[in-house]
Amino acid sequence: MTANRRFRSVTRIGPVQVGTSCDGRGREKHTSACTAPRCGFSADYDSRAAAELAARTHRCPVR
């Protein structure tokens, strides 16, 4: 199942983008996703602070 999400409050920290959206049950979720080619990192968090921390500490394995 694919998730079509409408993100708001999108910021960029290095190669990682952090955005806020609502899930299917109306709860607010925060997502961190790396935009580097072939990296594949993305994760959902319950708080914006956790998503931003993951973005700041992310190191791409692909160089």
Side-chain angles (χ1 to χ4, degrees):
M1 181 176 129
T2 61
N4 291 329
R5 296 183 182 164
R6 173 169 261 161
F7 289 99
R8 63 183 190 280
S9 183
V10 176
T11 58
R12 188 175 187 96
I13 301 172
V16 181
Q17 286 187 336
V18 178
T20 303
S21 67
C22 288
D23 65 358
R25 296 185 176 189
R27 295 175 297 207
E28 196 172 69
K29 291 290 184 179
H30 308 277
T31 303
S32 293
C34 186
T35 58
R38 296 181 286 133
C39 179
F41 167 77
S42 76
D44 289 333
Y45 298 94
D46 291 331
S47 71
R48 179 80 181 193
E52 289 181 3
L53 178 64
R56 284 188 180 90
T57 59
H58 172 68
R59 300 288 177 247
C60 289
V62 180
R63 291 274 173 182

